[in-house]
Amino acid sequence: MAQVTVLGTMMLIAHGLPVEIRITQQAGVRLVTALALRMGCALVLGMILHHIYSWGNWLQQPVELLWQPPAQTDDSLLTWIISQVKALQ
């Protein structure tokens, strides 16, 4: 669970990078600076959270998935197309 939490936190920091970097460019910040700052902060926070969760032995149990799609034994293209059409209905 700790890995999922760390990854989710890092994704939240850098979730809308293309749009937000363009907006910061309009404000006068250089592209490389804004990109390096956001990615660097995401990585540093990810490392900090990883070490905190490992040190405190928090969230170390396996993730319990609440929903799993049924396993398909037929991997043909036709089966995939039919399942996509059913999902659209």
Side-chain angles (χ1 to χ4, degrees):
M1 288 181 64
Q3 289 176 347
V4 173
T5 304
V6 170
L7 181 62
T9 304
M10 291 172 63
M11 288 171 58
L12 281 174
I13 290 176
H15 71 281
L17 246 103
V19 173
E20 293 172 5
I21 294 299
R22 185 68 180 143
I23 292 170
T24 56
Q25 271 187 317
Q26 296 290 325
V29 180
R30 295 183 50 191
L31 172 76
V32 176
T33 304
L35 189 61
L37 183 66
R38 289 287 296 271
M39 294 298 289
C41 288
L43 290 172
V44 167
L45 181 61
M47 288 189 299
I48 290 170
L49 285 177
H50 168 71
H51 289 296
I52 288 172
Y53 289 144
S54 297
W55 172 75
N57 203 23
W58 297 310
L59 299 176
Q60 298 300 315
Q61 63 271 22
V63 174
E64 182 180 323
L65 297 176
L66 299 177
W67 178 82
Q68 287 184 337
Q72 289 186 347
T73 56
D74 186 12
D75 291 335
S76 68
L77 181 61
L78 181 61
T79 305
W80 177 79
I81 292 172
I82 292 171
S83 67
Q84 294 300 309
V85 170
K86 286 181 182 178
L88 290 173
Q89 296 176 349

